[in-house]
Amino acid sequence: MQSIQKRTNAGKIRLVPGQTYAVIGKNRAQDATHYLLQIEAARPSQRWVSVDCGQLEGGAIAEPALPNPALPNPALPKPDPSAPP
């Protein structure tokens, strides 16, 4: 497992044969070379993995287990603009 651009693997995390991981993205809409997996034991927990490492079953991309902080989260209360900082 590695960062696609840096070719690094923080924590030297290895996938476990037979273990199922949530696929939460891919690097390209067509002809992807890597899938973004949710790996709870890893930090950071989202890791890019080559499509050659295992097989994709079901074909659907799962919703991220952790919210993307760059996107608004409807489950969180909106801040009161009149409240002091």
Side-chain angles (χ1 to χ4, degrees):
M1 251 177 318
Q2 63 184 3
S3 163
I4 295 175
Q5 292 180 348
K6 295 180 183 177
R7 299 191 180 273
T8 59
N9 178 5
K12 298 185 188 323
I13 300 298
R14 306 212 27 108
L15 298 180
V16 177
Q19 176 72 36
T20 301
Y21 301 92
V23 179
I24 57 175
K26 55 185 177 177
N27 67 323
R28 296 185 199 139
Q30 298 292 322
D31 300 321
T33 61
H34 290 77
Y35 292 121
L36 185 60
L37 302 186
Q38 182 71 34
I39 303 170
E40 296 303 328
R43 294 294 173 256
S45 62
Q46 296 178 358
R47 300 293 183 97
W48 289 106
V49 178
S50 172
V51 298
D52 298 330
C53 186
Q55 64 186 65
L56 181 63
E57 294 181 1
I61 303 297
E63 289 296 318
L66 300 174
N68 182 338
L71 299 176
N73 184 341
L76 296 177
K78 294 186 178 175
D80 181 357
S82 63

